[in-house]
Amino acid sequence: MSSATDPAEARAFLEQHPDIETVDLLISDMNGVLRGKRIPRDNLRKAYRHGINLPASIFALDINGNTIEETGLGLASGDSDRVCRPIPGTLMTTPWLRDGRQAQLLMTMEERDGSPFFADPRQLLRRQLTQLRDQGLTPVVALELEFYLVDRRRDDSGLARPPLSPGTGERATQSQLYSINELDDYADFLDEIQQAARAQGLPLDTALKECAPGQFEINLLHSDDALFAADSAVLLKRLIRGVALNHGFEATFMAKPYGDEAGSGAHVHISLVDDTGRNVFASDDEHPLGTALLRHAVGGLLELMPASMALFAPNLNAFRRFQPGLYVPMAPAWGYDNRSVAVRIPSGPNVARRLEHRVAGADVNPYLLVATLLASIQHGLTHRCEPDAPIEGNAYEQLPASLTNSWQKALDLLAACAPLNERLGQAFVHVYLANRQAERDAAMRTVSPLEYEWYLRNV
């Protein structure tokens, strides 16, 4: 049973920030879209004591905010409310908004009896962590997020395009991977991200220029609190979008904004430590491929990867990212220090031995991504899954593309996967599939301009 959250955190925050006028109470829906309510500062302590009511159907919303009735969370249940409670440690200023007079607070939803609400993605992740900790294991997690900056004005065809560089005034047309000059051109934007992240306590690591015009990557430091790691990714997305608008352009985490350029991914680094703090993936003989536990974890990830695609690629555009030659995994494979495979074992000190999952797009819900990875790792550890031999060299030349690029096939594979249904919960999987299926059906009813151009007169 849940109890009221201690309002001392709210009281201390308001005393420290007397200029704050409003607070956004935020909760992540299935798509990773932050929804919620805005309250005046005087109501903050009440929200800590009693929570706030939001309809359970918030997890039935598609990307356009429409309630998908097939989830069973809409009118079939009376569109009833649940209580959302503050997440301690997530009350923070949003310095890029309203001259610093606004703050934000993450929330999580409960059932009527105070237990975790089954369809809340954050609660799903918490359940995976509880199961791992019951085995004496704690995941250490770090997320890397790629994104594009785009001009707020579309081109003559209404399509996205790179912004005009703040440094040169020119529109980028080249890749310029790892370019320091481009980091310099966008230094004011990147500096404001760093300052805002510092004010929010988000553990930013590195920023780099990625391999397409206007594409960047920002990494978060590893944490032995996977909930905090996912919270940080969710909040970093909001921060980047907000700061970008202040600088005259937009930031998008759309997986594939340009058909001929690289997509944006969300890479996740994971290791496991035991109750003594020992990394159980690190081999005593410092073998670069780690221990049997690391191998079993990889085996679980690879075995359940085809059925996980519906979670790693949650929408129509996400599947456009899976094209050969653009550093996107096309088959379930692993290898040492190899960026052509789905699960990479990075080089580096043995004590930091870990795996890097490279499949998901940046449009993924971070809570669902990490929850699915941990569920797959648990499956691998429980069943001692053995992966095939690690790939050396170019995986694209050695393995056929077997990860589906069909949204419908991905949904069907998840529906039929008993291990994921069991570990994520059948009720959750039902809601997720109904939500995604309805969005896919709506997308298939839309005829694109390309189809008119190719087929209207020619067939």
Side-chain angles (χ1 to χ4, degrees), residues 11-72:
R11 184 168 56 252
F13 180 85
L14 294 174
E15 290 174 355
Q16 185 179 359
H17 301 281
D19 295 333
I20 293 295
E21 297 176 356
T22 58
V23 182
D24 287 345
L25 307 181
L26 306 171
I27 193 166
S28 173
D29 73 3
M30 287 290 181
N31 287 287
V33 175
L34 288 173
R35 304 186 186 275
K37 296 180 177 181
R38 180 168 295 169
I39 61 172
R41 63 177 284 134
D42 292 342
N43 288 4
L44 182 60
R45 279 172 284 191
K46 177 182 176 183
Y48 267 76
R49 290 191 186 94
H50 306 294
I52 61 163
N53 285 344
L54 285 171
S57 60
I58 201 166
F59 300 114
L61 300 179
D62 67 9
I63 194 64
N64 295 310
N66 301 312
T67 301
I68 305 304
E69 292 294 340
E70 291 82 356
T71 61

Side-chain angles (χ1 to χ4, degrees), residues 166-167 181-193 247:
N181 285 341
E182 294 220 16
L183 293 182
D184 289 341
D185 289 344
Y186 288 88
D188 290 344
F189 163 69
L190 295 171
D191 284 349
E192 186 174 346
I193 288 176
H247 288 260

Side-chain angles (χ1 to χ4, degrees), residues 310 406-415 433 436-437 440:
S406 162
W407 194 2
Q408 185 62 62
K409 179 67 177 298
L411 295 173
D412 292 342
L413 287 172
L414 176 58
L433 288 174
R436 301 294 79 218
Q437 185 69 57
R440 181 197 175 275

Side-chain angles (χ1 to χ4, degrees), residues 216-341:
F216 295 84
E217 177 181 308
I218 292 182
N219 302 332
L220 290 156
L221 290 168
H222 66 272
S223 172
D224 61 2
D225 182 345
L227 283 170
F228 173 74
D231 289 340
S232 297
V234 168
L235 295 177
L236 180 60
K237 281 188 171 186
R238 187 183 198 220
L239 185 158
I240 290 172
R241 289 192 190 99
V243 172
L245 290 174
N246 286 349
H247 288 260
F249 31 76
E250 291 179 88
T252 180
F253 293 89
M254 186 177 178
K256 190 75 171 178
Y258 306 118
D260 295 329
E261 299 289 354
S264 291
H267 298 167
V268 186
H269 293 250
I270 300 176
S271 60
L272 292 176
V273 298
D274 62 19
D275 289 338
T276 70
R278 180 179 64 93
N279 180 359
V280 300
F281 287 170
S283 174
D284 290 339
D285 63 2
E286 301 196 6
H287 193 286
L289 292 178
T291 62
L293 289 178
L294 174 55
R295 196 170 63 248
H296 297 328
V298 171
L301 287 166
L302 299 183
E303 181 179 320
L304 299 187
M305 190 173 290
S308 302
M309 288 296 290
L311 294 144
F312 300 153
N315 56 59
L316 176 64
N317 178 261
F319 287 93
R320 303 193 190 283
R321 183 170 153 264
F322 292 90
Q323 299 178 25
L326 291 175
Y327 288 90
V328 180
M330 306 292 289
W334 72 304
Y336 177 72
D337 200 16
N338 188 337
R339 287 184 170 86
S340 69
V341 298

